[in-house]
Amino acid sequence: MRCLHSEKAHDLGVTCCDFSSQPVSDGEQDFQFFRLASCGQDCQIKIWIVSFTHILGFGLKYKSTLSGHSAPVLACAFSHDGQMLVSGSVDKSVVVYDTNTENILHTLTQHTRYVTTCAFALNTLLLATGSMDKTVNIWQFDTEALCQAGSMEDQLKQFTDDWSEEDVSTWLSEQGLKDLVDVFKMNNIDGKELLNLTKESLADDLKIESLGLRSKVLRKIEELRTKVKSLSSGIPDEFLCPITRELMKDPVIASDGYSYEKEAIENWIGKKKRTSPMTNLILPSVVLTPNRTLKMAIDRWLETHQK
């Protein structure tokens, strides 16, 4: 075997890659394009277009970046028909994308530890995911649900505060919170109200007694706020501090390998246990190293967008 090409794909290292078995298009005779997905420690999935002919040789072209995870992505795989892409992450979630629109179809959060592997069945809508929680989960899709989920992602891009009460009910069901649909409807919670919910309002106004359930709802709402903010601002996710979700001015690298705004991570270490905000594992050291490369990238991005 011979190496045809070498590409620096992910700054912090590549964890997995997968070819789509279906060509993107059929061009001239003996000429086809294929999608290649790669994922890495930078929390991203990148889509590449690959071409290979005996006459023109090999070609690899970057197409796009998918940012559905908040932590390193450990696995990615295309469905057999090439219409879906699935990924698993250190953030314990599984994300399923539509490869044509690149919208998120489903976010699955049943695993309790890192999701390390995922695979589609050959000729049926089944998905297997494996995790460090020692489980393999088997999922079944149906066409109607996929269409509804894709529609919800389109609505997210049009800003969640425009959601109706029915849109909120659909979102709750997708997040595994179907039991709360009636409570939210009874209190007329639409998209704008959803984004303004707090710990106090969930307990006092909506009368959700379970602490664990309130925490789960708040976590899902915070994830939604983050998506809306990222989509509306256009700021690359890697430029946002994982703690404050704001553009970093003085990025530093902690001993967990992640970059944070210096003041935010210093406050985190000072007020809380010495655990990583991203992995919840003990930080081996509290030493913070300036991330000059990231700061230069942010400064360049600011200069471009201020113009």
Side-chain angles (χ1 to χ4, degrees):
M1 296 181 70
R2 61 191 177 97
C3 181
L4 298 174
H5 185 82
S6 181
E7 182 83 18
K8 184 177 179 182
H10 297 266
D11 289 339
L12 301 178
V14 180
T15 53
C16 186
C17 53
D18 188 47
F19 273 111
S20 171
S21 61
Q22 300 298 318
V24 177
S25 65
D26 291 314
E28 301 173 5
Q29 187 175 4
D30 196 30
F31 194 88
Q32 289 183 323
F33 298 93
F34 288 89
R35 284 191 182 95
L36 170 68
S38 64
C39 57
Q41 297 286 342
D42 55 5
C43 314
Q44 296 180 343
I45 301 167
K46 292 188 178 181
I47 305 298
W48 312 82
I49 301 299
V50 177
S51 61
F52 182 62
T53 67
H54 295 297
I55 299 174
L56 299 177
F58 180 88
L60 179 67
K61 183 179 179 182
Y62 166 78
K63 181 180 181 291
S64 57
T65 296
L66 307 179
S67 302
H69 291 288
S70 60
V73 187
L74 302 180
C76 62
F78 283 100
S79 60
H80 179 64
D81 61 5
Q83 297 301 304
M84 290 187 286
L85 175 69
V86 63
S87 59
S89 169
V90 170
D91 64 13
K92 307 172 189 175
S93 73
V94 175
V95 177
V96 182
Y97 301 89
D98 181 314
T99 55
N100 295 311
T101 64
E102 297 188 351
N103 290 340
I104 294 177
L105 299 175
H106 281 291
T107 300
L108 311 173
T109 58
Q110 277 73 5
H111 284 296
T112 58
R113 296 195 66 187
Y114 302 173
V115 179
T116 54
T117 187
C118 43
F120 282 100
L122 189 60
N123 291 314
T124 186
L125 285 174
L126 291 178
L127 169 68
T129 59
S131 167
M132 293 298 288
D133 62 14
K134 304 179 183 178
T135 65
V136 172
N137 289 350
I138 308 297
W139 310 85
Q140 182 178 25
F141 300 101
D142 65 79
T143 306
E144 182 180 352
L146 289 174
C147 291
Q148 289 176 352
S151 174
M152 285 299 292
E153 184 64 18
D154 290 337
Q155 291 179 24
L156 175 62
K157 291 187 177 180
Q158 296 170 5
F159 301 108
T160 312
D161 56 8
D162 290 333
W163 279 3
S164 66
E165 293 177 25
E166 283 302 319
D167 294 329
V168 172
S169 297
T170 302
W171 176 79
L172 286 168
S173 298
E174 289 176 353
Q175 307 306 313
L177 299 168
K178 193 172 183 178
D179 291 344
L180 295 178
V181 167
D182 290 340
V183 175
F184 275 62
K185 280 187 175 181
M186 192 182 303
N187 288 273
N188 305 114
I189 304 297
D190 58 15
K192 192 170 184 178
E193 293 294 330
L194 176 69
L195 293 177
N196 289 323
L197 287 176
T198 63
K199 178 172 60 177
E200 290 74 21
S201 60
L202 289 175
D204 300 337
D205 300 332
L206 301 188
K207 308 299 182 184
I208 300 176
E209 297 180 359
S210 168
L211 176 61
L213 190 55
R214 290 201 303 271
S215 298
K216 183 176 180 179
V217 174
L218 283 174
R219 188 168 64 251
K220 294 297 182 183
I221 292 174
E222 185 56 38
E223 290 174 2
L224 195 60
R225 289 192 189 114
T226 298
K227 284 185 178 180
V228 171
K229 185 174 181 180
S230 179
L231 287 168
S232 60
S233 67
I235 301 174
D237 195 65
E238 61 267 30
F239 293 170
L240 301 176
C241 173
I243 299 174
T244 65
R245 299 303 298 173
E246 295 178 354
L247 185 68
M248 289 184 277
K249 298 177 181 177
D250 187 11
V252 295
I253 304 174
S255 57
D256 61 357
Y258 291 96
S259 292
Y260 306 92
E261 177 63 34
K262 183 179 180 182
E263 183 179 356
I265 189 64
E266 285 179 340
N267 289 338
W268 176 279
I269 293 172
K271 294 179 181 178
K272 302 189 177 185
K273 295 179 181 179
R274 271 182 41 178
T275 56
S276 163
M278 295 296 286
T279 67
N280 289 326
L281 300 175
I282 298 295
L283 291 169
S285 168
V286 294
V287 174
L288 303 174
T289 306
N291 191 338
R292 295 185 176 87
T293 302
L294 180 56
K295 180 167 175 53
M296 289 172 61
I298 293 173
D299 290 343
R300 283 196 299 270
W301 183 86
L302 284 172
E303 287 175 8
T304 302
H305 284 73
Q306 283 171 354
K307 289 178 182 178

